[in-house]
């Protein structure tokens, strides 16, 4: 099968030297890409800027902004069997990017932000979608409830919910603990383990469901 995986943070420029971003390390997405390669699949990895060595044998597409990630995903999704969107895409970007470095003026400063496009939502509502669509949900509270809402509203097949409130798992960490929500069927938990182990289990689940749906 062919997998498309997004990973890492996006960077939304403010001026030539500044940007808005988030703490995503890309580890979960890279672990999913590696697990898919290990299982013998082809992988297109669309990644924001991270400090990780790309898995050899993946087709790596490096992007920076949410718009670049949106375009790259839409260019490749239709030729894939499973799309797993792990990236922490910025929800907002500056309304205007200053072409020159913004100088400090010693007074309060506000930045106007506008919403970015939601990549997962755009794929979920693609009318002729044939690939299995998996999203991740980074939550700090009401984890299952919020994740179930994302599954429904973004119209994906699976949401992997991730509690990012803990200091010892989730964002930046090597370990994670997830709950998997399905379009049909009861939620399934994977208890605390390294992102590599969790990725292997996720891969088995994605492959099984994709094969059942074909
Ligand atoms: N996502 C996306 N494009 C965006 C924002 C999010 O594709 N512009 C995807 C992420 O890759 C992830 C899922 O949507 O698979 C959920 O992302 P998350 O940050 O948890 O939620 P948001 O939809 O951004 O909602 P909120 O920040 O309000 O929780």
């Amino acid at each position: 099968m062919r997998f498309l995986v997004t990973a890492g943070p996006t960077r939304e420029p403010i001026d030539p030297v500044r940007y808005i971003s988030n703490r995503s390390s890309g580890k979960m997405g890279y672990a999913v890409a590696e697990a898919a390669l290990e299982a013998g699949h082809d992988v297109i990895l669309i990644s924001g800027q991270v400090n990780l060595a790309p898995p050899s044998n993946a087709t790596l597409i490096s992007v920076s902004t949410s718009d670049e990630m949106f375009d790259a995903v839409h260019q490749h999704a239709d030729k894939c069997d499973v799309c797993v969107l792990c990236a922490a895409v910025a929800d907002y970007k500056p309304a205007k990017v200053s072409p020159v470095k913004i100088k400090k003026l010693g007074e309060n400063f506000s930045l106007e932000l506008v919403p970015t496009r939601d990549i997962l939502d755009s794929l979920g509502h693609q009318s002729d979608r044939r690939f299995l669509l998996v999203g991740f949900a980074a939550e700090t509270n009401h984890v299952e409830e919020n994740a179930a809402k994302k599954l429904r509203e973004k119209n994906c097949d699976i949401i992997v919910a991730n509690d990012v409130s803990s200091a010892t798992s989730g964002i930046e960490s090597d370990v994670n603990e997830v709950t998997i929500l399905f379009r049909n069927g009861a939620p399934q938990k994977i208890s605390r383990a390294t992102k590599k182990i969790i990725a292997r289990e996720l891969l088995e689940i994605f492959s099984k469901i994709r094969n059942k749906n074909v």
Side-chain angles (χ1 to χ4, degrees):
M1 286 194 274
R2 184 177 285 154
F3 279 69
L4 179 153
V5 180
T6 69
T10 64
R11 289 180 176 179
E12 309 304 324
I14 298 169
D15 70 11
V17 295
R18 304 181 178 98
Y19 56 80
I20 297 172
S21 193
N22 59 67
R23 286 172 44 206
S24 167
S25 64
K27 286 176 186 166
M28 195 65 238
Y30 275 54
V32 169
E34 261 159 30
L37 288 162
E38 253 173 42
H41 303 297
D42 290 332
V43 175
I44 299 172
L45 175 60
I46 300 176
S47 176
Q49 317 250 320
V50 294
N51 288 317
L52 298 171
S56 43
N57 300 327
T59 302
L60 177 70
I61 301 173
S62 293
V63 297
S64 181
T65 65
S66 57
D67 283 325
E68 287 169 11
M69 187 171 278
F70 185 100
D71 292 342
V73 168
H74 278 269
Q75 201 181 328
H76 296 281
D78 281 335
K79 50 178 182 266
C80 294
D81 304 290
V82 182
C83 292
V84 186
L85 303 197
C86 297
V89 184
D91 291 332
Y92 293 93
K93 63 178 183 180
K96 284 196 305 258
V97 181
S98 170
V100 294
K101 187 183 172 207
I102 299 170
K103 293 308 235 180
K104 68 167 174 283
L105 294 172
E107 53 196 43
N108 291 359
F109 173 79
S110 312
L111 196 59
E112 192 190 348
L113 301 179
V114 295
T116 57
R117 291 175 290 175
D118 192 304
I119 305 169
L120 184 60
D121 188 90
S122 67
L123 293 181
H125 290 95
Q126 201 170 288
S127 56
D128 52 352
R129 171 164 74 83
R130 295 217 313 274
F131 48 83
L132 184 83
L133 183 58
V134 182
F136 272 66
E139 306 294 348
T140 55
N141 53 335
H142 306 301
V143 177
E144 270 193 44
E145 203 177 311
N146 285 333
K149 189 162 175 265
K150 282 178 190 165
L151 177 74
R152 228 176 22 248
E153 290 181 352
K154 302 195 189 204
N155 197 34
C156 39
D157 301 300
I158 299 175
I159 283 273
V160 182
N162 201 353
D163 186 344
V164 291
S165 63
S166 154
T168 54
S169 67
I171 290 190
E172 291 174 331
S173 170
D174 287 325
V175 293
N176 211 352
E177 196 176 341
V178 301
T179 304
I180 310 155
L181 286 88
F182 302 92
R183 193 188 274 278
N184 311 302
Q188 196 175 322
K189 279 192 196 308
I190 304 181
S191 48
R192 199 177 147 81
T194 64
K195 288 182 176 174
K196 272 189 196 312
I197 290 175
I198 290 189
R200 286 189 193 129
E201 288 194 34
L202 288 176
L203 231 286
E204 276 183 31
I205 293 169
F206 302 161
S207 304
K208 208 176 340 166
I209 294 191
R210 166 67 202 183
N211 287 332
K212 208 162 70 185
N213 290 352
V214 171

